[in-house]
Amino acid sequence: MLWHSLNSGNLGVGALTVANLTIAREVALDAGLSPRFVIMGARDRQRPAIPMPDCQTVPIDWRALGPGGALWRAMADVDCVLDIGAGDSFADIYGARRFSFLLISKLLALARNKPLILSPQTIGPFTKQAYMAPAAFVMRRSHAVYARDELSRDVARQMAPSVRIDLAVDVAFELPFEDRSHLRRGPLLRVGVNPSGLLFSEAERGSNRFGLSYDYARFTRKLLAALQARDDVEIHLVPHATSNGDPTDDDGALCDRLAAEFPAAHRVPNFGTPSQAKSYISGLDLLVGARMHACIAAFSAGVPVVPVAYSRKFTGLFGLLGYDTMIPVSGVEEEQAVALALEALANRSALAEAEAAGMAKVHGLLAGYRNTLRSTFLAVSAPA
């Protein structure tokens, strides 16, 4: 399980890991096989691992990627490699260092002659030939390639026209959770705001590398002020990425700041696992979320959601499911963005119906991926 993690501070990566592992385990058991898993990815040394059976972990750093390193050795003992690219890191938007990590690890799997499956993920954007050529090479050598949205599929097809690129959807829609929808029947509307420490720090520094047409920090404060002014709303500040190693990318630290500014808001404690986060979110009446996997948790739990997009992965994913309620990357100012969120609060029933229709598509989109896993598992387990 390449570029997965059982103890990432970003619960989105954890959601991908638990969900993809759950799918792979179900497929293997249904095929009469006994699976074991090696989780290969970044590690947050300050967080305990999510308990999962039959799992070995191999943390990836420069030493692990080196000649004869831990990753090379671990690749020798697996039958196939499911690479989810941390969801959206098979691209050039995060810079050369992260792309190099992603690329070298894939090349190690190919050098070990292991079937490499690119599990459903965002592919691209790629804007420079120095990134495009090696990415296309990897896709041509992969056993199967799955994009989690139509934009990614089209980008991959343009880069590697000879490769079959299959369309699926984000595996985190199938993340297990405890349903707490009964909490929505209270006297107040339980409105969750999942603020992004990354976007907030970008706005405060004035760097805006994601190209938002509005100031995210001002939008967040205006939204909370508007919600706090209502007597029918209970605000929940919901963290979803709490990296202790990078305070500029820590939703929890931001929630602390915002709770001090807006004392009526309930600061939700940091979650230990992605399933805990999804379970909590399932008890909300609405979520305004800046982390995509917080939005996926809401969507798949039947909670009306307003994704705050910062890249094309939002429009690609939710557009695939026929869900167009979103604060876009461009074309709006802070007041318009707040108005979109409040409008969604008033239209919760219609949004819930759209989500139900979208979830029906999710199951169909993941069926092909499950079939590929089954055929691959049976092939690699067959006697030589």
Side-chain angles (χ1 to χ4, degrees):
M1 309 291 287
L2 187 58
W3 293 111
H4 296 66
S5 176
L6 289 175
N7 72 337
S8 171
N10 187 331
L11 293 180
V13 178
L16 289 169
T17 300
V18 174
N20 205 27
L21 195 149
T22 299
I23 291 171
R25 189 189 302 280
E26 290 173 352
V27 170
L29 292 176
D30 184 66
L33 303 173
S34 298
R36 66 179 180 88
F37 301 92
V38 182
I39 310 297
M40 308 172 182
R43 182 177 68 177
D44 186 336
R45 298 179 184 275
Q46 301 184 55
R47 291 179 62 89
I50 301 168
M52 297 292 287
D54 303 315
C55 287
Q56 171 192 349
T57 60
V58 177
I60 298 179
D61 55 20
W62 279 118
R63 290 173 298 177
L65 291 170
L71 198 61
W72 174 254
R73 297 193 301 271
M75 289 287 186
D77 296 326
V78 303
D79 295 299
C80 62
V81 177
L82 310 186
D83 179 353
I84 209 157
D88 67 350
S89 292
F90 194 36
D92 61 15
I93 59 173
Y94 294 112
R97 185 175 186 273
R98 186 182 298 194
F99 179 76
S100 297
F101 272 59
L102 271 287
L103 177 64
I104 293 170
S105 61
K106 291 168 171 55
L107 295 177
L108 290 177
L110 295 174
R112 281 292 195 187
N113 293 315
K114 305 299 180 178
L116 175 64
I117 296 175
L118 300 190
S119 296
Q121 62 190 273
T122 299
I123 299 174
F126 291 103
T127 59
K128 300 175 182 177
Q129 188 61 31
Y131 295 91
M132 292 182 192
F137 172 82
V138 166
M139 287 190 284
R140 287 195 296 269
R141 295 287 304 276
S142 294
H143 181 72
V145 179
Y146 280 89
R148 66 181 178 184
D149 61 75
E150 293 167 310
L151 289 170
S152 293
R153 179 197 60 189
D154 295 344
V155 165
R157 286 177 174 175
Q158 291 171 5
M159 292 172 58
S162 63
V163 177
R164 174 177 171 175
I165 311 294
D166 289 301
L167 180 65
V169 73
D170 196 297
V171 296
F173 282 98
E174 297 204 356
L175 177 70
F177 72 106
E178 175 190 329
D179 185 5
R180 300 180 187 172
S181 56
H182 64 280
L183 296 176
R184 304 176 202 167
R185 306 189 189 101
L188 298 177
L189 295 172
R190 295 163 54 89
V191 178
V193 176
N194 159 234
S196 167
L198 176 61
L199 297 183
F200 206 93
S201 62
E202 285 281 317
E204 290 189 318
R205 290 197 303 264
S207 54
N208 192 22
R209 65 172 154 138
F210 297 105
L212 303 185
S213 63
Y214 60 96
D215 185 296
Y216 176 79
R218 286 203 297 266
F219 155 72
T220 301
R221 289 188 169 106
K222 286 178 180 289
L223 174 62
L224 291 172
L227 293 171
Q228 188 171 256
R230 296 178 55 144
D231 59 8
D232 62 340
V233 165
E234 181 180 86
I235 305 171
H236 297 248
L237 292 170
V238 183
H240 208 262
T242 53
S243 173
N244 292 315
D246 183 2
T248 66
D249 192 15
D250 192 329
D251 301 352
L254 176 57
C255 285
D256 289 337
R257 290 178 58 188
L258 295 173
E261 293 181 36
F262 299 91
H266 173 56
R267 199 291 203 194
V268 179
N270 294 351
F271 301 105
T273 71
S275 291
Q276 290 174 2
K278 184 173 180 178
S279 299
Y280 189 96
I281 289 170
S282 72
L284 300 174
D285 289 287
L286 179 80
L287 178 74
V288 181
R291 298 289 185 174
M292 192 172 79
H293 284 93
C295 297
I296 289 174
F299 191 104
S300 55
V303 174
V305 62
V306 183
V308 181
Y310 63 85
S311 80
R312 68 170 172 79
K313 68 181 182 180
F314 283 82
T315 52
L317 177 64
F318 291 104
L320 177 63
L321 303 179
Y323 193 85
D324 57 6
T325 295
M326 186 176 305
I327 296 174
V329 174
S330 60
V332 296
E333 297 180 352
E334 292 90 29
E335 290 78 8
Q336 293 169 297
V338 171
L340 286 171
L342 297 180
E343 182 181 354
L345 184 59
N347 295 330
R348 298 187 308 283
S349 296
L351 296 183
E353 291 177 3
E355 288 175 340
M359 284 305 296
K361 296 180 181 179
V362 165
H363 302 310
L365 286 165
L366 285 175
Y369 176 59
R370 287 176 175 272
N371 289 337
T372 294
L373 293 184
R374 180 183 176 88
S375 62
T376 305
F377 293 169
L378 288 173
V380 299
S381 63

